Amino acid sequence: MKEIYSKYMPVLTSAGLFDGLTEEDIESVLSCLSAEMPDFPKNSFIMRRGERNEKIGLVLSGSVLVMQEDFWGNRSIMAKLAPGDTFAEAFACSENALMNADVLASEDCTVLLLHIRKLPDSCGAHGIIIKNLLRETAEKNIRITERMAITSRRTTREKLLAYLSAESARQGKTAFTIPFDRQQLADYLCVDRSAMSAELCRLRDSGVLRFDRSHFELFSEEASPELQS
């Protein structure tokens, strides 16, 4: 197992959950938490809505979608996670809560599953892990609030501009790459893909932005007053 840990140690040391821990500390914590490292093929479920879950997940390779789907199959993507990102923290820490979302491998991936409730108080890293876990949960709640503000906009155009403006601010530049393909972006914004693609073309033709697949470039407020809305 130590050889497997070594393979993913660059991801583990950069993950927010293990911030402040040495490689030796991390190996000790993984042992305390009965860590598992399963592989999941693309489009397979890692966790399912309605299930009771006692494990925190951390993406080691590939990418993962957290999504909700209604009775009729309409899908809403809550987040796309990359290596180092965690998921299911709140459910793993709760004794009674059932998963309210599915976690799906959006490509072949390896994840780290941690039995967080097994972390003993006597573990030297206990306080650090709890602090990091609290920060990770708080940041997730902030992102959920931001998404609600975006998806509450009335039109597809307003949702697109709000999302791209927020992503530009988050990355600190006007040219940036988003984590979603077209269908995933439509599912994240809760809009029809065809309508969204048509709106993107209108925004491009009016000089508001330009794009190439998942790469976007926004132009100034003068060219796009909607960016301030």
Side-chain angles (χ1 to χ4, degrees):
M1 183 64 78
K2 186 169 183 179
E3 291 77 14
I4 299 177
Y5 291 165
S6 298
K7 175 182 178 181
Y8 293 110
M9 192 55 71
V11 176
L12 296 173
T13 53
S14 63
L17 183 63
F18 298 123
D19 186 36
L21 299 181
T22 65
E23 293 186 8
E24 292 74 17
D25 291 334
I26 292 173
E27 289 185 8
S28 177
V29 167
L30 295 183
S31 177
C32 287
L33 298 182
S34 303
E36 305 169 36
M37 291 186 175
D39 298 318
F40 293 90
K42 182 178 179 179
N43 293 328
S44 62
F45 285 94
I46 300 169
M47 296 177 181
R48 297 296 299 263
R49 181 179 56 179
E51 293 179 344
R52 199 175 302 280
N53 173 58
E54 298 181 355
K55 303 171 187 176
I56 288 178
L58 188 151
V59 183
L60 293 174
S61 68
S63 60
V64 166
L65 295 176
V66 180
M67 65 182 198
Q68 293 179 328
E69 190 170 294
D70 66 19
F71 181 82
W72 296 274
N74 298 308
R75 189 171 74 163
S76 175
I77 292 178
M78 313 304 292
K80 186 173 185 179
L81 308 178
D85 291 335
T86 55
F87 55 90
E89 302 95 322
F91 301 99
C93 293
S94 171
E95 293 186 2
N96 300 311
L98 300 178
M99 291 287 294
N100 67 355
D102 294 317
V103 183
L104 182 78
S106 59
E107 58 185 304
D108 293 348
C109 66
T110 301
V111 302
L112 177 70
L113 298 177
L114 303 170
H115 298 254
I116 193 64
R117 294 186 216 162
K118 291 187 177 182
L119 185 65
D121 293 342
S122 59
C123 175
H126 181 274
I128 295 175
I129 290 291
I130 296 302
K131 181 186 72 174
N132 291 342
L133 184 58
L134 179 60
R135 186 188 64 240
E136 292 276 294
T137 303
E139 290 175 353
K140 289 278 180 68
N141 287 336
I142 291 171
R143 288 197 290 272
I144 289 172
T145 301
E146 290 175 345
R147 179 178 180 272
M148 290 174 60
I150 291 169
T151 57
S152 66
R153 300 294 181 104
R154 291 173 297 176
T155 67
T156 297
R157 181 187 182 90
E158 289 174 344
K159 291 178 182 181
L160 275 169
L161 290 173
Y163 170 72
L164 294 172
S165 180
E167 195 65 23
S168 173
R170 188 183 70 81
Q171 297 192 34
K173 48 192 176 182
T174 57
F176 53 89
T177 299
I178 66 172
F180 302 119
D181 61 26
R182 284 290 181 273
Q183 185 60 59
Q184 291 170 353
L185 179 58
D187 291 339
Y188 180 81
L189 297 176
C190 300
V191 298
D192 177 76
R193 176 180 174 173
S194 296
M196 183 193 74
S197 295
E199 192 59 63
L200 280 172
C201 290
R202 283 192 286 269
L203 289 167
R204 179 197 59 199
D205 294 344
S206 63
V208 174
L209 54 79
R210 63 184 174 195
F211 57 86
D212 179 18
R213 300 194 179 197
S214 295
H215 185 78
F216 288 82
E217 183 175 4
L218 307 184
F219 297 105
S220 67
E221 295 89 340
E222 291 75 13
S224 176
E226 295 95 335
L227 290 177
Q228 295 182 329
S229 65

